[in-house]
Amino acid sequence: MDASLSVPMIEIDVPFFKLLKQQKLPLTLFFTNPQTVEGTLKCLYTYVTREVEVVVIPKAFDLLMAGDKVAHDKIVMAALQDAPKNAAVAQLSMVDAAEKIGLLYPLMPLVEAILNNE
C-alpha cells in the first residue's frame, strides 16, 4: 500500500499578486521590513505592469523583532488609518491591522487558491 499523499505546493505570494493585478486603482503597498521591498516588487512586477507606490512603516519591524507585537500592531494600525482604498499590506505580520481596516493582505486569496489547487 502506498501511504504517500499529494500535497499541493503554493507560493503564497502568487495568489496575492494575482489579486493585486485585478485591482483597477493605482496600488499602494505597505511594508514594515525594508529588506523585503526590492524582492517583493521584483516578483510583483511579473504580474502587475503599472507603478506601485511603496510605503515603509518606520520602527514597526524593529519592534516585531524585539518581540513587541502589540507595539508593532499599534504603529502599523496608525500608519494604515489613512491608507487609500487601493492599499495592501505586503507582510504577514501586518495582517491583523489590515483585516481590521479592510485592506488587502497576502492571506486573502490563499484559501481559494488552495481549494482550487492553483
Side-chain angles (χ1 to χ4, degrees):
M1 176 182 352
D2 184 7
S4 65
L5 296 173
S6 175
V7 178
M9 296 298 292
I10 297 174
E11 296 179 58
I12 69 166
D13 287 339
V14 172
F16 183 53
F17 293 159
K18 288 179 179 179
L19 175 67
L20 294 178
K21 181 180 180 179
Q22 296 171 4
Q23 304 308 304
K24 302 299 181 206
L25 299 170
L27 294 173
T28 301
L29 202 51
F30 285 84
F31 291 82
T32 57
N33 182 353
Q35 299 300 315
T36 63
V37 173
E38 185 178 338
T40 300
L41 290 180
K42 183 178 179 183
C43 294
L44 176 62
Y45 282 134
T46 63
Y47 293 89
V48 174
T49 56
R50 64 188 178 281
E51 194 65 31
V52 175
E53 179 184 358
V54 171
V55 177
V56 178
I57 302 170
K59 300 180 185 175
F61 186 70
D62 293 334
L63 289 167
L64 186 65
M65 291 295 96
D68 195 346
K69 175 105 167 79
V70 173
H72 165 275
D73 288 355
K74 188 175 182 178
I75 286 176
V76 169
M77 189 71 108
L80 297 179
Q81 286 297 327
D82 296 322
K85 291 181 181 182
N86 60 316
V89 300
Q91 295 160 317
L92 295 177
S93 64
M94 302 165 64
V95 167
D96 293 339
E99 207 168 33
K100 288 177 184 171
I101 294 174
L103 300 179
L104 299 174
Y105 55 90
L107 295 178
M108 289 179 89
L110 194 56
V111 172
E112 185 175 333
I114 290 169
L115 293 175
N116 293 329
N117 200 18
E118 294 177 2

